[in-house]
Structure formats: C-alpha cells, structure tokens
Amino acid sequence: AEKSKEKERPHCPQMNLSGDNRLTILSLNINGIQKKLTQLAKLLNRTKADIVCLQETHRIDTNKLREWSDNNEMDCHLNTHTQQDIHTDPSRRRKYYQGTVIMVSKHISQSATLHHQIIIKDRAHILRMETETEDYSIANVYAPPQPLKQPEFYHELTTKLKDTETPMIICGDFNQIDYEIDCKHQEHFRRTTGSTIWMEFKRKYSIIEPFRRTNPYKRIFTITRNKQSRRIDRIYTSKILEKTVRQTT
C-alpha cells in the first residue's frame, strides 16, 4: 500500500487564463479530502478558483461531497473510491491512498459542454470543455510515488494523452521532477525512467510548463520528505495555449 504524504503542501500550483472565458485553475494534492472540506472551501474563497484538480483524495463520501459541492457552487467529476463502494465490494475496505477529482464551478458547467473520461483508474482523468469559442481539455494526474511503478504508469498516461483531440492543460502531482532546479539538494538529482518518458512526451507533443518558462531560476518546493524538498506538483499546457496564460505560480 502507498504511504500517505505529509498533512499539508507548502505551495500548490495556480494558473490564470485569459480569453473569452477567464479561468483560474488550481492543482492540489489534498492528502485525504474528507476532513479538509472546510479548508478547501476557504481556499476556493481566497483564490476564486473556477477549476480545482485534486489528487490523493482517498475514499470519498459522495453524499457529504454532494452537499459540500452544492453549498460551494461546484460540480465534481470523480475518479476515486467512495464510501458507498464498500457496500458493493467489501475488498475495498482496505486502506486507499489514491483518487483524483476535478471540481468545476457551476457557472462553467452551465455555460460549457463537459465530457468526463477516466483514462487510468484512480490516477488520471480528463475533462473536455467546449464553449461556442473555446475547446480544450483539463487532465488531472496523480502518479505513483514508487519509482519502479512509474515507467508503466507514464507509458500508459502518455499513450492516452497523445490521443486527445484538443489543446490540453495538465495538472497534477507527478511524483518526479523535470529539472535539477526543482529539488533543494541538486547534487542528488537523478532523472528517473518515468521522468524520461514524460520529458519525451512533452517534447514530441509541444507540452510546456508556463511557470518554469517565465521563472527559469525561481525555486519553489511543494513537498519535503527525508530532508529533501522537491517541486513535484505542476501545471502544464499545450504550447498553443501559452499566450492565454496571464499568471502562474
């Protein structure tokens, strides 16, 4: 079983897009959503996020989440186990540290046509958003923390993503880093096989990370474990969307 990470992330990526429908997108490894809905509501109120991609949600009580979503004007697209699953599949009583959710504000849900697709169970899904003037897809990714499991995961992920017909915004906890600047102790940086697969996909399909392009030397870390800090939580876009990015953190 996967071990849960630390309770809070010191930084979570955020991106603001311009265009006909200005959007604020937030990505966060929440490390268990059930007991953090109050904090999540405060975060939404502070950031005014229109889309929130959550990773490592753990098991979800859908009734509680539905009530929370209605109170906070959000719609939820799930790729995770639920408390209700236990009644139909007792094997799911075991500890569960995965799960992803894409939250979308109701004003977007009412003005856009949304298509939700799970591409890797519990770990990756895509929400395509179509309006009269725009058409792109939001992908939410939670990569395995174990390096030995990452090559298979990234091979499957990139195989599925390359078939996406629209420009993409890819959010998530990638559990690896692209460059040595994204780890505190750079002398310990080693490119993993999973990272190599991901880097090749980005190069081949023109996927960029706006934050790193506008902040080539800025050092921000999103996780600290065993005295090593890294920036494993990121938001990427198709290069064609680069001009619509107003701000990224």
Side-chain angles (χ1 to χ4, degrees):
E2 295 175 17
K3 291 186 178 180
S4 179
K5 298 177 184 143
E6 59 288 303
K7 294 183 179 180
E8 302 293 341
R9 293 275 165 141
H11 173 81
C12 58
Q14 179 177 324
M15 179 181 293
N16 298 327
L17 300 179
S18 59
D20 293 339
N21 299 294
R22 293 196 170 193
L23 295 176
T24 296
I25 301 172
L26 192 70
S27 181
L28 174 66
N29 180 313
I30 198 165
N31 191 24
I33 193 174
Q34 287 297 110
K35 296 181 179 180
K36 297 180 181 176
L37 290 174
T38 299
Q39 296 97 310
L40 183 58
K42 292 179 180 178
L43 181 64
L44 286 175
N45 186 59
R46 186 176 75 250
T47 61
K48 309 299 180 186
D50 302 292
I51 298 172
V52 181
C53 292
L54 299 175
Q55 305 90 38
E56 203 177 355
T57 57
H58 302 176
R59 190 173 286 110
I60 287 176
D61 183 327
T62 52
N63 294 326
K64 185 177 180 180
L65 183 62
R66 188 178 299 112
E67 180 181 0
W68 180 93
S69 300
D70 289 340
N71 291 337
N72 289 275
E73 295 294 313
M74 301 292 282
D75 288 326
C76 297
H77 302 267
L78 308 183
N79 180 22
T80 184
H81 289 189
T82 69
Q83 296 286 5
Q84 288 73 15
D85 289 336
I86 296 176
H87 301 297
T88 58
D89 185 359
S91 68
R92 293 194 173 189
R93 291 182 182 274
R94 65 184 184 277
K95 290 184 178 181
Y96 173 76
Y97 294 118
Q98 302 174 31
T100 56
V101 172
I102 301 176
M103 295 183 166
V104 181
S105 64
K106 288 188 181 294
H107 77 84
I108 292 178
S109 297
Q110 294 165 1
S111 62
T113 301
L114 305 179
H115 306 274
H116 181 234
Q117 179 187 7
I118 294 174
I119 57 174
I120 301 179
K121 185 174 175 56
D122 304 324
R123 289 203 176 276
H125 51 158
I126 296 176
L127 186 67
R128 180 171 177 176
M129 301 174 54
E130 297 181 71
T131 68
E132 292 182 357
T133 58
E134 297 175 318
D135 185 5
Y136 50 84
S137 299
I138 310 285
N140 186 23
V141 175
Y142 176 47
Q146 304 94 332
L148 291 178
K149 292 184 177 181
Q150 289 183 4
E152 180 180 358
F153 170 82
Y154 275 105
H155 177 74
E156 183 177 3
L157 177 68
T158 54
T159 299
K160 299 289 180 61
L161 288 180
K162 72 181 182 182
D163 293 331
T164 303
E165 299 175 349
T166 66
M168 291 184 289
I169 299 168
I170 309 172
C171 306
D173 175 353
F174 295 86
N175 267 311
Q176 50 84 6
I177 56 178
D178 292 343
Y179 307 105
E180 61 183 18
I181 193 174
D182 290 324
C183 62
K184 184 175 181 179
H185 301 293
Q186 297 185 25
E187 66 275 13
H188 296 153
F189 173 72
R190 298 290 185 277
R191 188 174 303 286
T192 63
T193 303
S195 176
T196 300
I197 295 170
W198 181 243
M199 293 287 284
E200 175 60 19
F201 167 78
K202 291 193 302 170
R203 183 196 63 79
K204 187 174 182 179
Y205 294 95
S206 298
I207 303 298
I208 64 168
E209 190 199 355
F211 171 82
R212 187 49 74 207
R213 286 171 75 92
T214 56
N215 302 277
Y217 306 111
K218 189 171 184 177
R219 307 192 73 198
I220 292 177
F221 306 114
T222 63
I223 185 173
T224 297
R225 180 188 293 152
N226 299 328
K227 298 182 180 180
Q228 172 67 302
S229 298
R230 300 182 297 158
R231 190 174 68 92
I232 62 175
D233 305 89
R234 302 183 290 274
I235 301 178
Y236 299 91
T237 69
S238 297
K239 193 175 190 307
I240 195 173
L241 295 176
E242 185 175 17
K243 292 183 178 179
T244 69
V245 179
R246 293 188 292 117
Q247 184 181 6
T248 179
T249 61

